[in-house]
Every structure is written in C-alpha cells, then in structure tokens.
Amino acid sequence: MANTPRTHRLSTPVGPGALAELAIGDIVYLDGVIYTGREGLYRRLVDEGMAPPVDLRALSNVNFHCSPAASVAEDGSLNLGAVTATASFRFSRFMERFFELSGAKVIVGKGGMSEADYRDLFVPNGAVYLTTVGYGTGALLGRGVTRVQAAHWLEDLGIAQAVWVLEVSRFGPLLVESDLAGNSLFERENRATAEAVERAYAGLRPPSLSRYGETVARGDEVL
C-alpha cells in the first residue's frame, strides 16, 4: 500500500532541517514572505548582470514562478487576486546562476523540471521544487496572500514579469515534486505508468492490417 503523504506547514525562510524532512508527494503550506520571479527577473540578473531590485537573500529563500492577476489602483495601492503558477521547465538555463545570486532553496511553480535539472542544479544548492496542484488553483492560492509588500520593476516589466513580494499564510496546497536528493514525483509516476502499459500490451500480436507508416512501437518516432 502506498505511503500516505505527510503535511508540512513551513515558515520562510525555510531552513535546511525543514527541507530535509520533505519527501516527494508530501503536501506543503507556506507562511511568511515569498517573491515571484520569471523571465523578467532572470534575464535581468543572469543575462544582463543587473542587481536585483531588492536583496533577495535577505527577503526570502522561496521563489514563485507566477503571473499574478493584479492591478494598480489610482492611489498607487496594489491589488492582487489570483496567483497562477507558470511552467518552470522554460527557466532551467537560468537556474544555476540564479541559485548563486539569490540563495533560493524553494522553487514553486507548475509542471516541474527535468530530473537532470534536479540532479545538476537543485541538489548542489540544497533546493527543492514544489508544484501547484492541478490547473485553476490560482484563486485558491490567492486566498493565502495576506498582503502585497511591493511590486518591483512594475513599470518596466509589467504585471506578469514584475517581482511581487507577497506575505502569505497557509499558502497552498503544494506538492513536493523534488526533494533534496533530486527524486522526482512526476518521473517516478511516469515510469510506473509506462511499465504498467508495457505489461498490459505484453504478448499481444501486431494488428493484421495497418495504415502506411503506422507503428505500434511506442519507442518509434512518428512523423
């Protein structure tokens, strides 16, 4: 029988002891300060060599790949509703340098990254990846945002790419997709599914009729 996932409520900055307790498939809720960051932040820091708009190491060690549903009122106040995660695999080329610059230990996003990224980038930096649960959870996560501290580079980069500094309480649920050893929940389940499919098709004879170019071998590339 599969192990029941544990639930963790972690305060930022998340310490190494708390990170070591996380196992893939566990459920996490966050309290404290987190900041958003995606192409706009990464390109400026990594490609252009700009200084961050705020001391990231002092701010938090949790970076959220996010495009918030937010607005700026006439009086300059910042309003934020939903916070929808964006796909993280697009950012792998930035992560080595970003970890060095930011000291981030927790990356929150959607869809995970590759096992190679976890092994080569996350593990050496003592970092883990937390994924949002399914699609359409932006409004649910938005309920966990208690205050917007600031939105840096808002005029330059716009709402989606700006660095939003958020105070959160019971922010989640999030799933542990990678742990400190670089194990991946998604890849573990993908392998189990692939093995089950192979067993289900084992011993079946190929179809007696097929269309030109058709293949039943899942390892073949279909053009």
Side-chain angles (χ1 to χ4, degrees), residues 5 26 68 76-77 88 100 109 122 127 135 145 148 156 161 182 191 202 207 210:
D26 282 356
S77 60
S88 297
E100 294 175 1
F122 282 66
Y135 288 88
V145 178
V148 179
D156 294 348
Q161 299 290 344
R191 283 191 289 267
S210 64

Side-chain angles (χ1 to χ4, degrees), residues 198 215-222:
E198 292 293 341
T215 177
V216 294
R218 284 174 294 283
D220 292 344
E221 182 177 4
V222 179

Side-chain angles (χ1 to χ4, degrees), residues 32-34 54 59 78 145 147-152 164-167:
V33 175
I34 67 176
V54 62
L59 181 65
L78 303 170
V145 178
R147 178 172 173 261
V148 179
Q149 280 193 6
H152 300 284
W164 292 78
V165 181
L166 310 176
E167 295 178 11

Side-chain angles (χ1 to χ4, degrees), residues 1-18:
M1 186 173 68
N3 294 329
T4 301
R6 299 170 300 169
T7 299
H8 308 262
R9 189 162 179 178
L10 306 181
S11 297
T12 67
V14 184

Side-chain angles (χ1 to χ4, degrees), residues 7-109:
T7 299
H8 308 262
R9 189 162 179 178
L10 306 181
S11 297
T12 67
V14 184
L19 294 174
E21 289 292 317
L22 301 180
I24 57 174
D26 282 356
I27 301 166
V28 172
Y29 293 88
L30 296 173
D31 298 305
V33 175
I34 67 176
Y35 63 91
T36 70
R38 43 186 298 184
E39 294 102 325
L41 174 64
Y42 291 162
R43 285 175 179 159
R44 287 193 164 190
L45 267 59
V46 177
D47 292 344
E48 301 172 24
M50 293 181 63
V54 62
D55 185 348
L56 298 179
R57 289 180 178 271
L59 181 65
S60 177
N61 63 0
V62 181
N63 173 212
F64 184 20
H65 293 162
C66 168
S67 176
S71 62
V72 182
E74 291 184 1
D75 63 0
S77 60
L78 303 170
N79 303 309
L80 184 144
V83 282
T84 302
T86 192
S88 297
F89 72 90
R90 300 175 294 139
F91 309 134
S92 62
R93 78 173 183 89
F94 300 106
M95 296 310 298
E96 180 176 13
R97 182 61 176 147
F98 178 73
F99 280 132
E100 294 175 1
L101 294 170
S102 68
K105 300 299 180 185
V106 179
I107 302 296
V108 181

